[in-house]
Amino acid sequence: MVAHETALALIQLGAVFFGLGLLGRVAARIGMSPIPLYLIGGLVFGTGGLVELHHVDEFIHLASEIGVVLLLLLLGLEYSAKELVTGLRNSWAAGVLDIVLNATPGVVVALMLGWGVTGAVAMAGVTYISSSGIIAKVLSDLGRLGNRETPTILSILVFEDLVMAGYLPVLTAVLAGLGFAAGLQTVGIALTAVTVVLVVALRYGKYVSMLVDSQDRESFLLKLLGSALLVAGVASALQVSAAVGAFLLGIAISGSTAHTATKVLEPLRDLFAALFFVLFGLSTDPRSIPPVLGWAIVLVVVTTATKLATGWWAAKRAGASEYGRARAGTALIARGEFSIVIAGLAVGAGAVPGEFAAMATTYVLLMAVLGPIAARVVEPLLRWKNRRGRTAPPDHDETLAGAEVAKS
């Protein structure tokens, strides 16, 4: 009997992996992020879908937790502590505007739907944070990494990542139903941890890097993955959030060690993150989507406009032309991996109604598709508008000197 169940689990897991590979190839062919297709795959094989998976639930659940850890670890590896501090100093005004304009619609809709404070806090994060992964790919595909507005886009993304380091502990406290004092303590621990890690990374980052570094690739991978899981587990035990712990570890690792770690971990991140998106789709009943579809479309329209406004205003302050402002605004539209991470935490804690998962899934599906499309068509549309208005378009091939290299 056990052997039979093991065989079925291997068959189902093999089918899931193979199917994800096919979906990823389709996404690459049509030039879009695979995240929407992974979510749709989860919807097809989850509760209420065409076929339900019964023998791989535990594995996919654990793998999805590892996926969140790796997503945040690699996000932290992309930035040094110095870059984060500089980005915070340079982009705080645009970052505050970003929070106000894009978190507010999520809060309002959640309260109107009767999801309470917990649903409002979670939905604020879903609608607020842009997808750095999708945005980096779009900028690279469209050859905009050297454009004048690109540093502005990246500084806003850095600010959002820093906000996440403070937001996730708040969300964890709210989801756990902690009282004001306990919640304040949890947030205090998280903010203290962020401060300590930034100080350690600025002054002693090389020692942290030396601790996990190794000339042997196998040893390096095992130490890196082991330390990430250990830190994430300790952070989770302190009710700070495993994701924050992994992010802070990534910040503390710097230099060539961070570069090598990114190359080593990227395949693992892609594998486990794909399973995370599938699990979120599995936990969402497709029949719950139609009742929230109208509200999801409202959020899509409103938050598309607010991200456009954020990027336009920030790029204008940086001296970009009309074309650069439009490109900055459309680049920020896409939502993806971290919106689903936030929604996954809320759904996993059982602190939000079932409609929340359906809303988050529908919203991210639409925004992950709309973002890259908007980024591609904004220039042709602006040229067409200027021609109709008989206005000669400014030179939109604005590039910085070679020293301005964007981080993806």
Side-chain angles (χ1 to χ4, degrees):
M1 187 66 179
V2 174
H4 177 66
E5 289 183 357
T6 301
L8 287 176
L10 290 174
I11 290 171
Q12 290 187 2
L13 195 58
V16 168
F17 284 146
F18 188 76
L20 290 175
L22 292 178
L23 292 174
R25 185 172 182 180
V26 170
R29 283 286 182 89
I30 60 180
M32 65 175 285
S33 166
I35 293 174
L37 298 184
Y38 293 159
L39 289 171
I40 292 172
L43 289 172
V44 170
F45 293 102
T47 303
L50 297 177
V51 181
E52 290 190 35
L53 301 177
H54 295 289
H55 299 279
V56 291
D57 290 353
E58 291 185 9
F59 174 82
I60 292 181
H61 178 76
L62 181 60
S64 70
E65 294 290 332
I66 297 174
V68 174
V69 170
L70 292 179
L71 276 170
L72 272 293
L73 173 64
L74 266 80
L75 179 64
L77 288 171
E78 289 184 10
Y79 306 111
S80 68
K82 185 175 181 180
E83 287 172 327
L84 284 174
V85 173
T86 302
L88 180 61
R89 185 183 299 118
N90 294 339
S91 63
W92 69 269
V96 170
L97 179 68
D98 188 19
I99 294 173
V100 173
L101 291 183
N102 294 287
T104 302
V107 172
V108 172
V109 169
L111 293 177
M112 290 179 68
L113 291 174
W115 293 347
V117 174
T118 302
V121 172
M123 204 65 208
V126 172
T127 59
Y128 162 62
I129 188 163
S130 300
S131 169
S132 56
I134 295 176
I135 292 169
K137 185 174 184 350
V138 169
L139 292 176
S140 177
D141 290 347
L142 297 180
R144 297 179 182 172
L145 292 178
N147 281 22
R148 177 169 296 178
E149 74 278 358
T150 299
T152 300
I153 297 169
L154 296 175
S155 66
I156 292 174
L157 294 179
V158 169
F159 189 92
E160 289 184 353
D161 296 339
L162 280 171
V163 170
M164 283 296 104
Y167 166 80
L168 288 175
V170 174
L171 177 64
T172 303
V174 172
L175 294 176
L178 300 177
F180 178 77
L184 194 63
Q185 180 182 3
T186 299
V187 175
I189 292 173
L191 293 179
T192 302
V194 171
T195 304
V196 169
V197 168
L198 287 176
V199 171
V200 169
L202 282 169
R203 296 189 176 183
Y204 311 106
K206 62 180 181 179
Y207 298 110
V208 178
S209 299
M210 287 171 57
L211 185 63
V212 298
D213 199 7
S214 175
Q215 296 297 319
D216 181 70
R217 193 178 182 88
E218 180 181 351
S219 175
F220 180 56
L221 175 61
L222 290 172
K223 287 200 295 181
L224 188 62
L225 186 58
S227 60
L229 295 177
L230 280 170
V231 169
V234 171
S236 183
L238 294 173
Q239 293 185 326
V240 170
S241 168
V244 170
F247 178 66
L248 295 178
L249 176 64
I251 294 173
I253 299 173
S254 59
S256 59
T257 305
H259 179 70
T260 305
T262 299
K263 291 173 62 178
V264 169
L265 288 176
E266 273 184 343
L268 282 176
R269 177 203 60 187
D270 294 341
L271 171 63
F272 286 106
L275 290 175
F276 169 74
F277 298 128
V278 169
L279 178 68
F280 193 80
L282 289 173
S283 65
T284 305
D285 190 337
R287 293 169 295 189
S288 64
I289 290 178
V292 299
L293 181 59
W295 282 108
I297 292 174
V298 169
L299 278 178
V300 166
V301 172
V302 172
T303 56
T304 294
T306 51
K307 281 292 183 182
L308 277 169
T310 301
W312 182 282
W313 184 81
K316 183 178 180 180
R317 290 187 73 212
S321 70
E322 180 187 26
Y323 280 79
R325 298 170 205 169
R327 289 194 297 264
T330 53
L332 293 170
I333 289 173
R335 310 304 202 276
E337 60 273 23
F338 295 111
S339 293
I340 295 297
V341 167
I342 293 165
L345 291 173
V347 173
V352 290
E355 294 85 359
F356 184 94
M359 173 73 85
T361 300
T362 308
Y363 176 75
V364 171
L365 278 172
L366 294 173
M367 296 300 277
V369 173
L370 177 62
I373 293 174
R376 290 175 188 273
V377 304
V378 64
E379 283 194 58
L381 285 176
L382 206 50
R383 290 195 204 101
W384 175 78
K385 168 184 162 295
N386 285 335
R387 279 198 299 267
R388 288 200 63 184
R390 296 181 180 178
T391 302
D395 180 14
H396 59 278
D397 187 23
E398 305 166 29
T399 57
L400 293 174
E404 288 290 356
V405 180
K407 287 179 72 71
S408 59

